[in-house]
Amino acid sequence: MKQTWLLLATAAMLTACTEKHATTLKEAFQHDFYIGTAMNVPQIFEIDKAESDLVATHFSAIVAENCMKSEEIHPEKDRYFFDEADAFVAFGEKHGMFITGHTLVWHSQLAPWFPYDEAGNKVSREEMIARLKEHISTVVGRYKGRIKGWDVVNEAILDDGSLRMTPFLEIIGEEYLELAFRFAHEADPEAELYYNDYSMSSPAKRERVVQLVRDLKAKGLRIDGVGMQGHMGMDYPDVAEFEKSIEAYAAEGVKVMITEWDISALPTIRQGAEISDTVSYMQAMNPYAEGMPAEAEEAWNERVRTFMDLFLKHSDKISRVTAWGVTDRTSWLNNWPMPGRTNYPLLFDRENNLKPVMQEYLNRK
Ligand code: G3I
């Protein structure tokens, strides 16, 4: 009898030791949420082959970092440029990924011609609505059934909860928000539609985003999800406020997505992600140009664990966690808000290795 128990215990121990650990991020999180990354043009065309291979191996979702923004995809009123976006979608289809289009309506990187007529005057409300409809219908229509989700409107609300004064708000008025979602749904009735923004744990912004979701739903419009960009630093956002926002958005009956996750390892100069808000170079704000000291690395690792564990705790609400880039080397945070910094915000290091803190999640039971 004793021998039988001993045999059983040994077998159980051996099973536990040989239990297969995940070898990729998408395997590790396959029961939790899509794990994604933003792709830049060198990765899309496999010019940066090493990073393209990391994307194909580790991620189950991709989003276009820049190539689908209006200044890139619709550079002139009567000219579109789809080469990069076509290659992006083809890459995602080749690897069976969830493909997100970013972004249909955004004040930044807005094609310069968009709000102006040929004489350089602001166009009429009717003309701006016509341009908005034509842009959305053309871009969404081209990828109908292939791009599964769209960041329809990006960063339309300020941290104080007011609407950002953009050419869309100025010329069309608040109705541009519902028009954007309506046009996107008409162009692809199957596609998921999202509102996407940064600093989404700011209480005033949270309240306004909740109101936006309610307003769109009250008008019978489709909105499937709210994108919390997740641009973070070592000292922001407050974890409790971030969790409150996850719960508040989910309570509106929409998916929550972490859409642009990175954690700056450097001293915070600016919170959020206001791309136009930059500062000139200051050596003191670039302390790890030659590499991160061990204690700084462990502090960053702990920050990653805090938020990744929060995402896993709420995996019933969170459908996707997307890093805003593949390796530290190509992160936008090496140049924002201060050009020329050496930052360490992403899941892979400059040698294309998965960081140890993320290895811990491969080995989760
Ligand atoms: O492609 C041109 C290249 O031809 C030119 O030589 C070079 C120098 O001028 O610029 C290149 O374009 C740059 C582009 O990134 C591609 O590298 C733009 O100047 C630069 O402004 C653009 O920055 C992007 C930024 O959005 C503005 O579009 C960042 O890569 C991108 O990470 C960042 O992403 C945004 C999200 O879309 C929205 N949420 C905030 C997030 C961070 O700002």
Side-chain angles (χ1 to χ4, degrees):
M1 185 63 173
K2 195 174 170 192
Q3 274 177 334
T4 313
W5 277 113
L6 198 59
L7 274 173
L8 282 173
T10 310
M13 195 177 63
L14 278 173
T15 310
C17 296
T18 53
E19 194 166 79
K20 185 175 174 308
H21 290 314
T23 55
T24 66
L25 292 175
K26 62 184 171 188
E27 200 185 335
F29 296 109
Q30 62 184 310
H31 303 305
D32 306 299
F33 30 64
Y34 284 112
I35 185 78
T37 185
M39 290 190 79
N40 63 31
V41 170
Q43 294 155 356
I44 290 167
F45 285 104
E46 307 196 26
I47 298 161
D48 191 338
K49 187 75 175 64
E51 291 208 350
S52 300
D53 290 348
L54 287 178
V55 178
T57 303
H58 281 278
F59 294 101
S60 51
I62 52 172
V63 61
E65 182 174 16
N66 290 302
C67 69
M68 301 192 85
K69 292 168 179 173
S70 69
E71 71 173 4
E72 305 282 348
I73 204 168
H74 195 177
E76 292 161 30
K77 184 174 179 304
D78 299 319
R79 182 171 72 87
Y80 288 85
F81 175 68
F82 289 118
D83 294 10
E84 296 171 356
D86 287 354
F88 163 73
V89 174
F91 185 98
E93 289 177 324
K94 178 179 168 190
H95 299 289
M97 294 166 154
F98 186 95
I99 305 169
T100 300
H102 173 83
T103 175
L104 297 172
V105 180
W106 191 29
H107 64 284
S108 184
Q109 272 55 47
L110 178 64
W113 59 267
F114 212 109
Y116 297 103
D117 63 20
E118 281 167 7
N121 303 311
K122 288 279 175 65
V123 295
S124 69
R125 183 174 189 272
E126 290 66 32
E127 174 61 16
M128 191 68 169
I129 291 174
R131 292 182 179 195
L132 180 66
K133 180 166 185 169
E134 199 258 339
H135 177 77
I136 293 175
S137 311
T138 306
V139 176
V140 175
R142 185 180 181 88
Y143 303 107
K144 184 174 178 180
R146 303 170 68 196
I147 287 187
K148 300 301 183 188
W150 283 97
D151 289 341
V152 176
V153 175
N154 190 50
E155 302 171 16
I157 296 169
L158 297 175
D159 290 4
D160 66 4
S162 64
L163 289 183
R164 183 191 298 269
M165 185 43 75
T166 69
F168 299 101
L169 181 64
E170 179 197 349
I171 298 171
I172 298 173
E174 194 168 333
E175 194 190 358
Y176 88 89
L177 293 163
E178 66 185 79
L179 288 171
F181 280 86
R182 186 183 308 284
F183 296 154
H185 182 59
E186 286 168 356
D188 185 350
E190 299 308 312
E192 292 188 350
L193 306 179
Y194 316 132
Y195 174 74
N196 189 54
D197 209 331
Y198 59 80
S199 301
M200 290 283 265
S201 53
S202 134
K205 183 175 282 198
R206 170 167 63 227
E207 206 177 304
R208 187 65 182 77
V209 171
V210 163
Q211 194 54 54
L212 172 63
V213 173
R214 288 177 182 167
D215 291 349
L216 292 171
K217 284 175 171 261
K219 293 185 170 85
L221 292 163
R222 179 170 181 162
I223 176 165
D224 300 271
V226 165
M228 301 175 69
Q229 291 183 7
H231 295 297
M232 303 177 175
M234 294 306 291
D235 52 359
Y236 78 94
D238 174 81
V239 185
E241 284 302 330
F242 199 89
E243 183 168 26
K244 267 191 210 164
S245 285
I246 292 171
E247 291 165 335
Y249 301 138
E252 297 306 314
V254 293
K255 295 177 180 180
V256 176
M257 293 153 288
I258 311 302
T259 51
E260 306 183 12
W261 193 36
D262 44 34
I263 301 182
S264 173
L266 303 181
T268 297
I269 301 172
R270 293 279 187 279
Q271 296 196 9
E274 184 47 65
I275 189 75
S276 60
D277 189 3
T278 57
V279 299
S280 10
Y281 187 79
M282 294 170 279
Q283 180 60 42
M285 302 306 271
N286 186 28
Y288 308 138
E290 307 308 321
M292 269 176 97
E295 64 273 15
E297 188 172 342
E298 188 39 42
W300 186 85
N301 292 344
E302 197 44 39
R303 196 95 177 122
V304 169
R305 292 186 195 103
T306 297
F307 282 98
M308 185 47 90
D309 291 351
L310 182 69
F311 301 159
L312 288 167
K313 173 184 173 187
H314 291 287
S315 61
D316 58 319
K317 308 176 187 73
I318 295 173
S319 60
R320 172 166 60 94
V321 174
T322 289
W324 199 245
V326 184
T327 73
D328 290 340
R329 181 171 51 83
T330 52
S331 170
W332 74 293
L333 285 174
N334 291 315
N335 293 300
W336 186 89
M338 187 175 90
R341 294 217 282 184
T342 303
N343 211 328
Y344 305 81
L346 291 169
L347 309 184
F348 290 82
D349 66 21
R350 282 175 168 75
E351 288 69 46
N352 300 333
N353 300 311
L354 184 66
K355 291 184 180 175
V357 68
M358 289 312 297
Q359 290 280 354
E360 295 168 14
Y361 290 90
L362 297 193
N363 304 336
R364 270 187 318 146
K365 290 287 170 281

Short mmCIF file of all heavy atoms in Angstrom, two decimals, residues 4-33:
data_model
loop_
_atom_site.label_atom_id
_atom_site.label_comp_id
_atom_site.label_asym_id
_atom_site.label_seq_id
_atom_site.Cartn_x
_atom_site.Cartn_y
_atom_site.Cartn_z
N THR A 4 2.50 1.88 -3.27
CA THR A 4 1.60 2.46 -4.30
C THR A 4 1.55 3.97 -4.15
O THR A 4 1.70 4.73 -5.10
CB THR A 4 0.17 1.87 -4.11
OG1 THR A 4 0.28 0.47 -3.96
CG2 THR A 4 -0.73 2.26 -5.27
N TRP A 5 1.40 4.42 -2.86
CA TRP A 5 1.32 5.87 -2.64
C TRP A 5 2.60 6.55 -3.11
O TRP A 5 2.60 7.60 -3.73
CB TRP A 5 1.07 6.16 -1.14
CG TRP A 5 -0.39 6.04 -0.80
CD1 TRP A 5 -1.00 5.13 -0.02
CD2 TRP A 5 -1.44 6.88 -1.30
NE1 TRP A 5 -2.36 5.31 0.03
CE2 TRP A 5 -2.66 6.39 -0.76
CE3 TRP A 5 -1.48 7.98 -2.19
CZ2 TRP A 5 -3.90 6.98 -1.05
CZ3 TRP A 5 -2.70 8.55 -2.46
CH2 TRP A 5 -3.90 8.05 -1.89
N LEU A 6 3.74 5.86 -2.82
CA LEU A 6 5.05 6.43 -3.20
C LEU A 6 5.13 6.58 -4.71
O LEU A 6 5.51 7.59 -5.26
CB LEU A 6 6.17 5.50 -2.69
CG LEU A 6 7.57 6.14 -2.61
CD1 LEU A 6 7.54 7.33 -1.67
CD2 LEU A 6 8.60 5.10 -2.15
N LEU A 7 4.67 5.54 -5.40
CA LEU A 7 4.69 5.57 -6.89
C LEU A 7 3.82 6.70 -7.41
O LEU A 7 4.21 7.48 -8.26
CB LEU A 7 4.18 4.21 -7.42
CG LEU A 7 5.25 3.10 -7.55
CD1 LEU A 7 4.57 1.78 -7.91
CD2 LEU A 7 6.30 3.51 -8.58
N LEU A 8 2.63 6.82 -6.81
CA LEU A 8 1.69 7.88 -7.27
C LEU A 8 2.29 9.25 -7.04
O LEU A 8 2.28 10.13 -7.89
CB LEU A 8 0.36 7.74 -6.50
CG LEU A 8 -0.58 6.62 -6.99
CD1 LEU A 8 -1.77 6.47 -6.04
CD2 LEU A 8 -1.03 6.90 -8.43
N ALA A 9 2.91 9.42 -5.85
CA ALA A 9 3.50 10.74 -5.52
C ALA A 9 4.63 11.05 -6.50
O ALA A 9 4.74 12.16 -7.01
CB ALA A 9 4.02 10.71 -4.09
N THR A 10 5.43 10.03 -6.81
CA THR A 10 6.55 10.26 -7.75
C THR A 10 6.03 10.65 -9.13
O THR A 10 6.50 11.59 -9.75
CB THR A 10 7.39 8.96 -7.85
OG1 THR A 10 7.67 8.50 -6.54
CG2 THR A 10 8.67 9.21 -8.64
N ALA A 11 5.00 9.93 -9.56
CA ALA A 11 4.43 10.22 -10.90
C ALA A 11 3.91 11.65 -10.93
O ALA A 11 4.19 12.41 -11.87
CB ALA A 11 3.31 9.23 -11.18
N ALA A 12 3.23 12.04 -9.85
CA ALA A 12 2.65 13.41 -9.82
C ALA A 12 3.77 14.43 -9.87
O ALA A 12 3.72 15.40 -10.61
CB ALA A 12 1.85 13.57 -8.53
N MET A 13 4.84 14.14 -9.13
CA MET A 13 5.97 15.10 -9.08
C MET A 13 6.60 15.20 -10.47
O MET A 13 6.83 16.28 -11.00
CB MET A 13 7.01 14.63 -8.07
CG MET A 13 8.02 15.69 -7.68
SD MET A 13 9.13 15.04 -6.43
CE MET A 13 9.92 13.72 -7.37
N LEU A 14 6.79 14.06 -11.11
CA LEU A 14 7.41 14.05 -12.45
C LEU A 14 6.53 14.83 -13.43
O LEU A 14 6.99 15.65 -14.20
CB LEU A 14 7.60 12.61 -12.93
CG LEU A 14 8.85 11.90 -12.39
CD1 LEU A 14 8.84 10.43 -12.80
CD2 LEU A 14 10.11 12.60 -12.90
N THR A 15 5.22 14.61 -13.30
CA THR A 15 4.30 15.33 -14.21
C THR A 15 4.45 16.83 -14.02
O THR A 15 4.61 17.58 -14.96
CB THR A 15 2.85 14.91 -13.89
OG1 THR A 15 2.79 13.50 -13.86
CG2 THR A 15 1.88 15.47 -14.93
N ALA A 16 4.46 17.18 -12.71
CA ALA A 16 4.58 18.63 -12.42
C ALA A 16 5.87 19.17 -13.01
O ALA A 16 5.90 20.20 -13.65
CB ALA A 16 4.55 18.85 -10.91
N CYS A 17 6.98 18.39 -12.84
CA CYS A 17 8.27 18.91 -13.34
C CYS A 17 8.27 18.98 -14.86
O CYS A 17 8.84 19.87 -15.46
CB CYS A 17 9.41 17.98 -12.88
SG CYS A 17 9.54 17.99 -11.11
N THR A 18 7.65 18.00 -15.46
CA THR A 18 7.75 18.00 -16.94
C THR A 18 6.56 18.74 -17.57
O THR A 18 6.41 18.75 -18.76
CB THR A 18 7.72 16.54 -17.46
OG1 THR A 18 6.55 15.91 -16.89
CG2 THR A 18 8.97 15.79 -17.00
N GLU A 19 5.67 19.37 -16.71
CA GLU A 19 4.51 20.06 -17.27
C GLU A 19 5.02 21.07 -18.30
O GLU A 19 5.93 21.85 -18.03
CB GLU A 19 3.78 20.79 -16.15
CG GLU A 19 2.38 21.25 -16.56
CD GLU A 19 1.60 21.66 -15.35
OE1 GLU A 19 1.83 22.79 -14.88
OE2 GLU A 19 0.82 20.82 -14.87
N LYS A 20 4.40 21.08 -19.48
CA LYS A 20 4.91 21.92 -20.56
C LYS A 20 4.65 23.38 -20.23
O LYS A 20 3.53 23.77 -19.97
CB LYS A 20 4.19 21.49 -21.84
CG LYS A 20 4.68 22.17 -23.09
CD LYS A 20 3.96 21.58 -24.30
CE LYS A 20 4.31 22.32 -25.57
NZ LYS A 20 4.12 23.79 -25.46
N HIS A 21 5.71 24.20 -20.20
CA HIS A 21 5.54 25.63 -20.03
C HIS A 21 5.37 26.24 -21.41
O HIS A 21 5.83 25.69 -22.42
CB HIS A 21 6.77 26.22 -19.34
CG HIS A 21 6.89 25.82 -17.89
ND1 HIS A 21 5.82 25.86 -17.03
CD2 HIS A 21 7.93 25.36 -17.16
CE1 HIS A 21 6.21 25.46 -15.82
NE2 HIS A 21 7.48 25.15 -15.88
N ALA A 22 4.72 27.39 -21.45
CA ALA A 22 4.56 28.08 -22.72
C ALA A 22 5.93 28.51 -23.24
O ALA A 22 6.84 28.81 -22.45
CB ALA A 22 3.65 29.29 -22.52
N THR A 23 6.06 28.55 -24.56
CA THR A 23 7.34 29.04 -25.12
C THR A 23 7.14 30.38 -25.83
O THR A 23 8.10 31.02 -26.22
CB THR A 23 7.89 28.02 -26.14
OG1 THR A 23 6.85 27.78 -27.12
CG2 THR A 23 8.26 26.71 -25.46
N THR A 24 5.87 30.77 -25.99
CA THR A 24 5.60 32.06 -26.64
C THR A 24 4.57 32.84 -25.83
O THR A 24 3.80 32.25 -25.06
CB THR A 24 5.03 31.86 -28.06
OG1 THR A 24 3.72 31.25 -27.95
CG2 THR A 24 5.95 30.99 -28.91
N LEU A 25 4.54 34.14 -26.04
CA LEU A 25 3.57 34.98 -25.31
C LEU A 25 2.14 34.59 -25.70
O LEU A 25 1.26 34.48 -24.83
CB LEU A 25 3.81 36.46 -25.63
CG LEU A 25 5.10 37.07 -25.09
CD1 LEU A 25 5.26 38.51 -25.59
CD2 LEU A 25 5.13 37.05 -23.55
N LYS A 26 1.92 34.31 -26.98
CA LYS A 26 0.54 34.01 -27.38
C LYS A 26 0.07 32.69 -26.78
O LYS A 26 -1.11 32.53 -26.48
CB LYS A 26 0.37 34.03 -28.91
CG LYS A 26 1.15 33.04 -29.70
CD LYS A 26 0.90 33.31 -31.19
CE LYS A 26 1.82 32.50 -32.09
NZ LYS A 26 1.71 32.90 -33.52
N GLU A 27 1.01 31.78 -26.57
CA GLU A 27 0.67 30.52 -25.90
C GLU A 27 0.39 30.77 -24.42
O GLU A 27 -0.58 30.28 -23.86
CB GLU A 27 1.85 29.56 -26.06
CG GLU A 27 1.53 28.09 -25.88
CD GLU A 27 2.82 27.24 -25.95
OE1 GLU A 27 3.80 27.69 -26.58
OE2 GLU A 27 2.82 26.18 -25.33
N ALA A 28 1.20 31.62 -23.83
CA ALA A 28 1.09 31.89 -22.38
C ALA A 28 -0.25 32.54 -22.05
O ALA A 28 -0.85 32.27 -21.01
CB ALA A 28 2.23 32.79 -21.93
N PHE A 29 -0.74 33.41 -22.97
CA PHE A 29 -1.96 34.17 -22.66
C PHE A 29 -3.17 33.69 -23.46
O PHE A 29 -4.20 34.35 -23.47
CB PHE A 29 -1.70 35.66 -22.92
CG PHE A 29 -0.66 36.26 -22.02
CD1 PHE A 29 0.59 36.61 -22.51
CD2 PHE A 29 -0.91 36.44 -20.66
CE1 PHE A 29 1.57 37.15 -21.68
CE2 PHE A 29 0.07 36.97 -19.81
CZ PHE A 29 1.31 37.32 -20.32
N GLN A 30 -3.04 32.51 -24.10
CA GLN A 30 -4.09 32.08 -25.01
C GLN A 30 -5.46 31.95 -24.34
O GLN A 30 -6.50 32.10 -24.99
CB GLN A 30 -3.72 30.75 -25.67
CG GLN A 30 -3.56 29.59 -24.68
CD GLN A 30 -3.09 28.31 -25.35
OE1 GLN A 30 -3.65 27.88 -26.36
NE2 GLN A 30 -2.04 27.70 -24.81
N HIS A 31 -5.50 31.71 -23.05
CA HIS A 31 -6.80 31.58 -22.36
C HIS A 31 -7.21 32.87 -21.66
O HIS A 31 -8.24 32.91 -20.98
CB HIS A 31 -6.72 30.43 -21.35
CG HIS A 31 -6.33 29.11 -21.97
ND1 HIS A 31 -7.03 28.54 -23.02
CD2 HIS A 31 -5.28 28.28 -21.73
CE1 HIS A 31 -6.43 27.40 -23.39
NE2 HIS A 31 -5.37 27.22 -22.63
N ASP A 32 -6.42 33.93 -21.84
CA ASP A 32 -6.69 35.18 -21.11
C ASP A 32 -7.18 36.29 -22.03
O ASP A 32 -8.25 36.85 -21.85
CB ASP A 32 -5.41 35.65 -20.38
CG ASP A 32 -4.85 34.55 -19.49
OD1 ASP A 32 -5.58 34.14 -18.56
OD2 ASP A 32 -3.72 34.09 -19.76
N PHE A 33 -6.35 36.64 -23.03
CA PHE A 33 -6.69 37.71 -23.96
C PHE A 33 -5.72 37.65 -25.16
O PHE A 33 -4.69 36.95 -25.09
CB PHE A 33 -6.60 39.10 -23.32
CG PHE A 33 -5.56 39.23 -22.22
CD1 PHE A 33 -4.20 39.06 -22.47
CD2 PHE A 33 -5.95 39.53 -20.90
CE1 PHE A 33 -3.26 39.18 -21.46
CE2 PHE A 33 -5.00 39.65 -19.87
CZ PHE A 33 -3.66 39.47 -20.16
#
